[in-house]
Amino acid sequence: MNNYTNDNTARRYKAHVSIFGTTQLHLRNPYIIAWWSAAFPGFGHMLLSKYLRGYALFIWEVIVNVNAHVNSAMIYSFQGNIDMAKDVLDTRWLLMYIPVYLFGIWDSYRTTVDMNRIYLLSDREDHRFNSFAIGALEINYLDKRNPIVSLMWSLCIPGLGQLYIHRILTAIFVIVWLVIFYYFSHIQEAIVLLILGDVKEATSVLHSDWLLFIPSHYGFAIYDSYINTVENNKLFEKDLRKHLTLNYQSKKFQILKGQKVK
């Protein structure tokens, strides 16, 4: 049996390479993951590669937020118009929003702590994992990429940085929802009007309920692509180091107190 594949002979694996992307365990800061869940429910779980849970929380956030008019209320609050913020909120949706929002933050923190423990155990077990995947639709393999390139492509259009590092599921999800946010917020119409000098009209066409999703969406895409490029590079180096050690290093080779002994 090929020892480069996940053959279920190990209790824990550090990573898995498939045609849809590279999923790996690595140490994460629970507070940063919880912060991303607070910024936008679902983002924290997606950073952990808990995609189904992340997608569910993300879609819940969009549906309930838009119907409760949370983003519009936030804008009125920033402007100091508290009475208008109260009037625009729909309490029928708002009371459903709060418990799930808090759950997303709590669960992402708890899951991060658990996954950090699992990573330490899997790193100690250090079992081989597949580093190359080929299928009818795609090819994926471990290699090194430039984190700055990932960041720059994500700045252009969220999702392109994920495509660069072959995070296909996240890339598709981010790009599709970016189009939705662009369409319903009318931000591109506002940009054209702003270029033409019609500031008042540009402001009036914007839909605040959808507009405030975009900054978080950009921020997540940039952070996710950059961090995962860095971690993929670390994983590649560890895998290559182990491959070279097992196949090319003499079994008699030792390093004691900085001295090479043969």
Side-chain angles (χ1 to χ4, degrees):
M1 184 173 289
N2 189 348
N3 62 352
Y4 285 82
T5 61
N6 290 8
D7 53 14
N8 293 322
T9 59
R11 189 171 184 184
R12 299 174 184 89
Y13 292 94
K14 287 191 295 185
H16 176 70
V17 176
S18 73
I19 62 172
F20 296 109
T22 301
T23 304
Q24 65 167 302
L25 292 170
H26 60 84
L27 293 177
R28 298 175 173 91
N29 189 325
Y31 293 103
I32 292 179
I33 300 299
W35 184 89
W36 275 110
S37 291
F40 205 117
F43 280 165
H45 291 86
M46 290 167 66
L47 287 169
L48 296 172
S49 298
K50 306 280 279 187
Y51 296 115
L52 295 180
R53 198 177 308 185
Y55 295 164
L57 289 170
F58 183 98
I59 294 171
W60 170 273
E61 161 71 12
V62 173
I63 294 173
V64 179
N65 189 310
V66 169
N67 284 280
H69 305 293
V70 173
N71 286 343
S72 295
M74 289 174 60
I75 290 178
Y76 288 128
S77 298
F78 296 154
Q79 295 172 343
N81 195 344
I82 305 301
D83 291 334
M84 194 64 181
K86 292 178 180 178
D87 291 339
V88 77
L89 284 172
D90 189 331
T91 54
R92 293 176 301 172
W93 288 91
L94 183 63
L95 294 180
M96 290 191 295
Y97 178 84
I98 297 173
V100 178
Y101 180 80
L102 295 176
F103 169 81
I105 299 171
W106 171 81
D107 188 64
S108 64
Y109 180 92
R110 177 197 62 81
T111 304
T112 306
V113 173
D114 287 344
M115 290 181 67
N116 284 345
R117 294 169 181 164
I118 293 172
Y119 167 76
L120 294 175
L121 294 172
S122 65
D123 189 53
R124 174 166 293 188
E125 186 173 355
D126 200 23
H127 197 278
R128 293 303 304 264
F129 57 88
N130 60 309
S131 58
F132 183 90
I134 185 169
L137 299 177
E138 268 290 355
I139 300 173
N140 186 26
Y141 48 89
L142 280 182
D143 66 342
K144 296 192 72 171
R145 304 288 170 91
N146 190 330
I148 301 301
V149 173
S150 294
L151 186 150
M152 295 304 297
W153 278 118
S154 294
L155 275 172
C156 294
I157 292 292
L160 296 184
Q162 281 74 15
L163 285 177
Y164 171 65
I165 59 173
H166 206 94
R167 285 174 62 81
I168 302 298
L169 294 177
T170 302
I172 293 173
F173 190 85
V174 168
I175 291 172
V176 168
W177 279 99
L178 179 69
V179 173
I180 293 172
F181 293 154
Y182 272 174
Y183 180 82
F184 286 104
S185 68
H186 300 281
I187 188 172
Q188 293 183 317
E189 296 175 44
I191 291 173
V192 172
L193 290 169
L194 189 62
I195 293 173
L196 295 175
D198 195 343
V199 179
K200 185 176 181 180
E201 183 66 20
T203 304
S204 65
V205 299
L206 288 171
H207 198 308
S208 58
D209 281 332
W210 293 91
L211 179 65
L212 287 195
F213 290 136
I214 295 177
S216 297
H217 207 65
Y218 264 86
F220 167 77
I222 294 168
Y223 179 82
D224 177 79
S225 62
Y226 182 87
I227 290 298
N228 278 287
T229 305
V230 172
E231 294 300 332
N232 283 355
N233 288 347
K234 292 178 182 178
L235 184 67
F236 170 78
E237 290 174 355
K238 289 180 180 179
D239 183 68
L240 181 60
R241 186 182 303 118
K242 185 171 184 178
H243 172 75
L244 294 175
T245 300
L246 291 175
N247 293 278
Y248 296 99
Q249 182 173 291
S250 172
K251 294 181 180 180
K252 297 180 181 180
F253 179 85
Q254 295 181 7
I255 297 179
L256 298 175
K257 295 182 179 180
Q259 300 295 322
K260 293 183 180 180
V261 179
K262 295 185 179 180

